[in-house]
Amino acid sequence: MLPVHGLAGTTPPDRIHAVTTPPQRTFSMQIHDRPLSERVFHALAFEILAIGISAPLAAWITGHGLFDMGVLTAVIATIAVVWNMLYNWLFDRLQARTGFERTYGVRVAHACGFEGGLIVIAIPFVAWWLDISLWHALVLDIGFVLFYLPYGFLFNLGYDKIRQNLIAAD
């Protein structure tokens, strides 16, 4: 005799799941399992492409030379990488000390703090390198932030899609 699951005439829960849930594609490596070599590749590809797009665009918009804007964007990218590591280390230490959870509100504050800190750090260099006022450096840096927001979204969206396709092909 077959075992009865629940009420007579009902389908066992595992059979319902198998029937109603479409098969899910799983990939051999989840995003959080990326090796260090891939993380380095991702960061370098992100920054090199960003510099390749933003330097000519900024040179055209501001009237400054391509070399000046290329150096500026490369230095800001380097500052951003170093600031990112320091900022996140400090953020992790603060969380360990106070025990807060990483809610959406905390994530928004984290992102704003990172961008605000990066602007404060970068503005003096931008002003000095281009020989412009701090105000003009702030406006230019805000322009870079406005470029990087959609760029970062689109780059990572594309990167994840290409990565999924490569993994699925294996």
Side-chain angles (χ1 to χ4, degrees):
M1 185 160 163
L2 294 171
V4 176
H5 297 281
L7 300 173
T10 62
T11 308
D14 57 333
R15 299 270 325 257
I16 292 172
H17 179 74
V19 172
T20 60
T21 305
Q24 300 293 317
R25 277 186 115 171
T26 58
F27 298 104
S28 61
M29 185 185 306
Q30 298 300 320
I31 290 173
H32 62 275
D33 293 331
R34 293 179 185 182
L36 178 61
S37 59
E38 183 183 347
R39 291 183 185 278
V40 169
F41 172 78
H42 177 268
L44 288 175
F46 179 90
E47 295 299 345
I48 290 169
L49 185 59
I51 292 167
I53 296 170
S54 65
L57 185 61
W60 177 67
I61 290 171
T62 65
H64 288 277
L66 182 58
F67 174 79
D68 287 339
M69 298 313 282
V71 170
L72 179 67
T73 56
V75 169
I76 291 174
T78 303
I79 290 170
V81 168
V82 173
W83 172 237
N84 188 315
M85 293 185 313
L86 176 62
Y87 182 78
N88 285 314
W89 177 75
L90 292 169
F91 186 80
D92 290 344
R93 291 197 48 145
L94 178 64
Q95 183 182 20
R97 177 174 273 188
T98 62
F100 63 83
E101 291 187 34
R102 294 186 184 203
T103 63
Y104 287 118
V106 168
R107 283 295 186 187
V108 168
H110 176 268
C112 290
F114 174 79
E115 290 298 335
L118 182 58
I119 287 173
V120 168
I121 294 166
I123 286 175
F125 175 76
V126 172
W128 171 77
W129 181 252
L130 297 177
D131 194 26
I132 59 177
S133 71
L134 290 174
W135 173 253
H136 286 107
L138 173 64
V139 171
L140 181 60
D141 207 44
I142 289 172
F144 280 121
V145 169
L146 293 175
F147 164 79
Y148 271 92
L149 286 173
Y151 168 78
F153 175 78
L154 293 171
F155 178 89
N156 287 303
L157 192 67
Y159 184 89
D160 289 344
K161 184 67 174 168
I162 291 168
R163 182 178 188 274
Q164 286 178 349
N165 290 338
L166 290 174
I167 291 172
D170 283 342

